[in-house]
Amino acid sequence: MRELIPEGARGLDAGCGSGARDVFFYWQLGYDVVGFAAVDENIRVAKELHPEIAEKVSVADLSKPLQHTDESFDFVMCNAVIQHIAPDLVASVTLPELTRVLKPGGVLQLMFKVGDGIKTLYDKDYDAERTFQLYSADDVVSSLTGLGCEIIPQVGEKLGGLMYFTDPKPADHCLLFALKSN
Ligand SMILES: C[S@@+](CC[C@H](N)C(=O)[O-])C[C@H]1O[C@@H](n2cnc3c(N)ncnc32)[C@H](O)[C@@H]1O
């Protein structure tokens, strides 16, 4: 990990989930990481599970401008979040905000559900049917390119390019790493 991101690097987990698992993980590795989620309960659980990072997690909404200053993070993660936000807001607010707060030379990790329109499926974690917004990988890449980022390609065995997988729900996902140009 530290070969890619130096220890102490500043990171943001945008939409950190209930319990802020990755904020805690990166904090344990020595990164200066903060996270937020839109749901109060997610953050309450994070503070209860991991009191060590209580000051590093907060409630915020990625469909609105973020409070963080420009170019303040070395890395930004946003995994399984834009599936909850309408495409017009993702294009006009969320992706511009995620890239605005990234330093030049910083990396955005973005994971999203792939497809057209919306998908409703049974989510066993919630024991309920849930509806998700799907995204075209081409559209996401085009938006990120317009925001001054380029997709980090796959080189040898290192992760890169557009990486696809299907989870057990099942839903198809795309994961990418985008480098903000200097
Ligand atoms: C499926 S969880 C993903 C959690 C985590 N990123 C992961 O990869 O495990 C979705 C998270 O996105 C958050 N979320 C949904 N809509 C959001 C929004 N508009 N702004 C910020 N967070 C949002 C939810 O509160 C939840 O924490």
Side-chain angles (χ1 to χ4, degrees), residues 13-22 36-40 42-43 59-64 66 77-85 94 109 111 113 123 126 130 132 169:
D13 189 358
C16 59
S18 183
R21 175 201 61 223
D22 292 346
F36 66 82
V39 179
D40 292 15
N42 290 177
I43 299 305
V59 177
D61 185 350
L62 252 188
S63 62
K64 297 177 181 164
L66 300 178
M77 299 172 282
C78 185
N79 298 320
V81 179
I82 64 171
Q83 62 200 27
H84 301 297
I85 305 175
T94 308
Q109 175 182 312
M111 194 260 280
K113 286 185 166 52
D123 188 333
Y126 288 75
R130 300 178 74 211
F132 301 100
K169 284 186 173 80

Side-chain angles (χ1 to χ4, degrees), residues 93-164:
V93 180
T94 308
L95 295 180
E97 284 295 282
L98 291 173
T99 54
R100 177 185 67 74
V101 300
L102 200 54
K103 293 178 185 176
V107 173
L108 169 66
Q109 175 182 312
L110 184 68
M111 194 260 280
F112 51 95
K113 286 185 166 52
V114 183
D116 282 331
I118 58 172
K119 179 167 186 167
T120 300
L121 45 76
Y122 174 72
D123 188 333
K124 72 172 171 47
D125 297 334
Y126 288 75
D127 189 22
E129 299 250 303
R130 300 178 74 211
T131 297
F132 301 100
Q133 180 65 54
L134 307 180
Y135 284 88
S136 141
D138 285 347
D139 289 351
V140 170
V141 170
S142 170
S143 292
L144 291 175
T145 303
L147 291 164
C149 295
E150 62 184 63
I151 306 307
I152 297 175
Q154 182 179 11
V155 177
E157 293 186 350
K158 288 191 176 172
L159 295 178
L162 299 178
M163 295 165 275
Y164 293 95

